[in-house]
Amino acid sequence: MGSPKTSAAGGTARKAPLSRELVLTKALEVVDEEGLDALTMRRLGQELGRDPMSLYRYAENRAALLDGVSELVLNELPIEPDDPDWKAQLRLIAHNLRSLALEHPNVVPLLVTRPLSTPLGLRPLGTLRPLEQILSLLIGAGFSPAGALHVYRAYYGFLYGHILNELQEFVVDPEENEVLLRLGLHRLPAKEFPRLRALAPALAEYDGSAELDQGITILLSGLETQLSLTGANPTD
């Protein structure tokens, strides 16, 4: 039998003790590198050098593991519910959420579609904190509680729509200089899609950050108008 591995100091090397944070961090690494389908308890055990059965202490099943990954990513989203400049805060949250999505694109389906299958009260607390914090921000700005909920839905509907749109693959052939060919739009019948084909240069120059900022400006302008028209306690 081989002798136990030793550290540089001469002692026996020990594995880092497992913790929920360590397990979820490694799970996120697997998802980032290989996608959601690659994440299983067996694979995670291999990555951590542990018996997969030992991981059930930190996530009772794969579904709980996926929920934990969602919470881990959303914990990276800073929100200041007491910020007196609610518009600046919503703009900042939007750009930070976009950055997180671009950093962890394989997690986006967990954030956007997975909650649809889970009643609100049964979702992981970490995934609900952004909702609670943004409601506090909006109510503090003068929106009624029901009005704040409507704003949140419109706001996140726009954000997730933008993120999903940006993550789509626009470029078919990055080596092609002609934008119509690079985007594959030359395959569309010219008589049926004249406007879309004509927009090839604009599509090729897509700036996700600027596009998001423009959309947020439109949304915030409408909300500010609503707030001023309905007084200090706007309703739905």
Side-chain angles (χ1 to χ4, degrees), residues 28 36 51 53 59 75 80-81 86 93 129 132 163 175 186 188 190 197:
L28 178 58
L36 290 172
D51 184 337
M53 295 303 296
N75 283 342
E80 298 294 337
W86 62 276
I93 294 168
R129 287 194 181 96
E132 179 70 21
I163 287 169
E175 302 300 323
H186 64 288
L188 301 180
R197 287 169 59 103

Side-chain angles (χ1 to χ4, degrees), residues 105-117:
N106 292 332
V107 179
V108 170
L110 295 181
L111 304 180
V112 178
T113 62
R114 183 170 172 77
L116 299 177
S117 63

Side-chain angles (χ1 to χ4, degrees), residues 91-192:
R91 190 182 298 275
L92 181 61
I93 294 168
H95 282 282
N96 285 337
L97 183 61
R98 171 183 176 267
S99 296
L100 278 175
L102 295 180
E103 184 180 353
H104 306 288
N106 292 332
V107 179
V108 170
L110 295 181
L111 304 180
V112 178
T113 62
R114 183 170 172 77
L116 299 177
S117 63
T118 308
L120 196 64
L122 298 180
R123 296 176 194 174
L125 296 182
T127 65
L128 292 176
R129 287 194 181 96
L131 168 57
E132 179 70 21
Q133 292 169 329
I134 292 177
L135 288 177
S136 294
L137 174 72
L138 294 170
I139 292 171
F143 289 92
S144 70
L149 181 59
H150 290 319
V151 171
Y152 172 86
R153 287 170 174 162
Y155 175 69
Y156 260 79
F158 165 73
L159 286 184
Y160 282 149
H162 170 87
I163 287 169
L164 290 174
N165 186 61
E166 185 170 358
L167 289 177
Q168 291 180 33
E169 182 60 57
F170 286 105
V171 177
V172 173
D173 184 1
E175 302 300 323
E176 175 59 56
N177 292 326
E178 172 57 49
V179 292
L180 199 67
L181 300 177
R182 179 150 40 109
L183 301 178
L185 295 179
H186 64 288
R187 300 173 182 173
L188 301 180
K191 291 184 178 180
E192 294 182 47

Side-chain angles (χ1 to χ4, degrees), residues 30-44:
V30 172
V31 172
D32 281 342
E33 293 174 6
E34 300 181 39
L36 290 172
D37 290 342
L39 182 60
T40 64
M41 289 296 195
R42 180 181 295 276
R43 173 61 188 282
L44 191 55

